[in-house]
């Protein structure tokens, strides 16, 4: 819905959006700044981080440029943006960033996160 609202605005107002997951509360501003800096260099339609603490798993948040937004509306089911990342239609760049970005999917995850922050 957020992308649809942005898409309805004039094209010169919004050229990209950073999509956050609600279960990842520790996203650092430096990661967002790195995504935006890479976007400003041009060329990539999708930009996502790869956290050094979990290099085997590309992470979130994800920056999507305006040309990708209509394809998001075509996604169905609970598959996330995976089909977009796998598509040859959009150039995807993955940036290496320090640290980790833990998921909080269960009560145990939340308790572990709270313990680690003490």
């Amino acid at each position: 819905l957020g992308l649809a609202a942005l898409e309805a605005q004039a094209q010169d107002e919004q050229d990209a959006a950073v999509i956050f997951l609600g279960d990842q509360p520790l996203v650092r501003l430096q990661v967002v700044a790195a995504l935006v800096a890479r976007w400003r260099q041009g060329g990539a339609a999708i930009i996502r981080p790869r956290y050094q603490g979990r290099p085997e798993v590309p992470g979130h948040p994800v920056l999507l440029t305006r040309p990708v937004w209509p394809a998001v509306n075509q996604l169905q089911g609970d598959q996330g943006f995976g089909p977009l990342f796998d598509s040859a239609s959009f150039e995807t760049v993955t940036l290496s960033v320090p640290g980790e970005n833990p998921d909080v999917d269960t009560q145990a995850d939340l308790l572990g996160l709270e313990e680690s922050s003490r």
Side-chain angles (χ1 to χ4, degrees):
L1 291 174
L3 288 177
L6 289 174
E7 201 169 16
Q9 296 179 7
Q11 282 202 341
D12 60 345
E13 290 186 34
Q14 311 298 331
D15 292 326
V18 179
I19 309 299
F20 292 80
L21 298 180
D23 65 351
Q24 295 183 343
L26 299 181
V27 174
R28 297 180 320 279
L29 182 57
Q30 296 88 340
V31 173
V32 177
L35 296 173
V36 171
R38 175 56 184 88
W39 167 66
R40 287 185 172 146
Q41 293 174 10
I46 301 170
I47 306 169
R48 62 190 310 201
R50 181 182 307 277
Y51 292 89
Q52 291 173 353
R54 294 196 59 204
E56 70 283 1
V57 181
H60 295 277
V62 176
L63 186 143
L64 303 176
T65 59
R66 184 177 279 272
V68 177
W69 300 352
V72 170
N73 292 329
Q74 303 303 312
L75 297 174
Q76 296 183 11
D78 188 15
Q79 57 188 340
F81 293 144
L84 297 178
F85 302 146
D86 297 336
S87 169
S89 300
F90 303 107
E91 180 183 354
T92 300
V93 170
T94 304
L95 295 178
S96 181
V97 297
E100 291 187 45
N101 185 26
D103 268 342
V104 179
D105 294 325
T106 66
Q107 183 70 24
D109 293 342
L110 181 58
L111 292 173
L113 190 62
E114 289 171 346
E115 286 293 320
S116 69
S117 67
R118 290 184 186 159

